């Protein structure tokens, strides 16, 4: 197996973990704050944006990471989860191997958007590095919540980037 195939397999495994875990365990930190937001406007020390008012945001961010989960109910469980916004580190070079990627700009930052019919996911690069890039991920259920993704993507403002 050549290096490129090996890197692609590792990336797929990491992206699967990122989608499920929101990078919580990858960064070695866990959230200490659990606040909810309703009403269509969200803001914390990391980001601010608008979202459909029928959704509920669970803010699990802390002083070292941004981690938001978005639900279609006030009961935060996996069945009700429709999206997430979080920061982690990525590798631009590995992300370039996705054939269905589209170059985008969100919050005046470059990134890529990947859609597969089930999810719509954007990787927004918060610095100019290529390895260990500080990245904001905006990930939503594409079947029912594509409009919610678009509202967040169109209105998000990055307030803080982790050091």
């Amino acid at each position: 197996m050549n290096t490129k195939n090996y890197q692609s397999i590792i990336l797929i495994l990491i992206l699967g973990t990122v989608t499920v875990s929101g990078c919580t365990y990858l960064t070695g930190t866990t959230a200490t704050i659990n606040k909810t937001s309703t009403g269509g406007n969200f803001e914390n020390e990391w980001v601010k944006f608008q979202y459909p008012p029928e959704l509920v945001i669970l803010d699990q961010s802390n002083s070292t990471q941004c981690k938001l989960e978005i639900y279609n109910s006030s009961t935060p469980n996996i069945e009700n989860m429709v999206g997430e916004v979080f920061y982690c580190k990525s590798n631009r070079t590995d992300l370039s191997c996705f054939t269905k990627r589209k170059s985008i700009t969100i919050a005046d930052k470059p990134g890529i958007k990947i859609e597969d019919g089930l999810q719509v996911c954007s990787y927004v690069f918060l610095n100019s590095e290529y390895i260990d890039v500080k990245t904001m991920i905006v990930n939503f259920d594409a079947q029912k919540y594509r409009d919610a993704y678009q509202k967040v993507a169109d209105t998000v403002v990055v307030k803080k980037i982790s050091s």
Side-chain angles (χ1 to χ4, degrees), residues 49 70 83-87 104 106 112-114 119-124 135-140 148-150 152-153 156:
F49 55 83
I70 303 164
E84 57 189 337
V85 175
F86 60 93
Y87 287 11
I104 58 164
I106 293 180
I112 62 169
K113 178 179 174 182
I114 301 167
Q119 292 183 333
V120 55
C121 186
S122 290
Y123 297 81
V124 182
T135 306
M136 175 177 63
I137 298 184
V138 180
N139 183 36
F140 274 81
Y149 159 85
Q150 199 60 57
V152 170
V156 71

Side-chain angles (χ1 to χ4, degrees), residues 9-150:
I9 290 170
I10 294 298
L11 178 64
I12 290 168
L13 291 172
I14 289 171
L15 291 176
T17 303
V18 165
T19 299
V20 173
S21 74
C23 281
T24 301
Y25 299 108
L26 295 177
T27 61
T29 59
T30 56
T32 56
I33 301 170
N34 287 314
K35 295 184 227 172
T36 57
S37 176
T38 58
N41 291 300
F42 176 81
E43 184 171 358
N44 70 6
E45 69 181 286
W46 297 93
V47 293
K48 73 177 182 177
F49 55 83
Q50 295 175 8
Y51 62 95
E54 66 274 11
L55 299 179
V56 176
I57 297 179
L58 179 61
D59 182 359
Q60 296 187 47
S61 304
N62 61 30
S63 63
T64 61
Q65 72 174 0
C66 176
K67 183 176 183 337
L68 309 170
E69 295 175 353
I70 303 164
Y71 296 92
N72 63 7
S73 165
S74 59
T75 305
N77 59 38
I78 194 70
E79 292 83 21
N80 296 332
M81 188 176 196
V82 300
E84 57 189 337
V85 175
F86 60 93
Y87 287 11
C88 66
K89 289 187 178 181
S90 66
N91 182 332
R92 283 189 206 222
T93 306
D94 288 343
L95 291 172
S96 69
C97 72
F98 288 104
T99 57
K100 293 186 177 187
R101 74 186 183 284
K102 176 183 172 187
S103 294
I104 58 164
T105 301
I106 293 180
D108 296 324
K109 307 283 185 196
I112 62 169
K113 178 179 174 182
I114 301 167
E115 291 189 65
D116 67 3
L118 297 175
Q119 292 183 333
V120 55
C121 186
S122 290
Y123 297 81
V124 182
F125 306 121
L126 303 176
N127 63 21
S128 61
E129 303 298 322
Y130 277 82
I131 307 290
D132 288 335
V133 182
K134 294 172 184 165
T135 306
M136 175 177 63
I137 298 184
V138 180
N139 183 36
F140 274 81
D141 172 333
Q143 293 179 321
K144 296 179 184 175
Y145 295 95
R146 184 182 311 277
D147 291 343
Y149 159 85
Q150 199 60 57

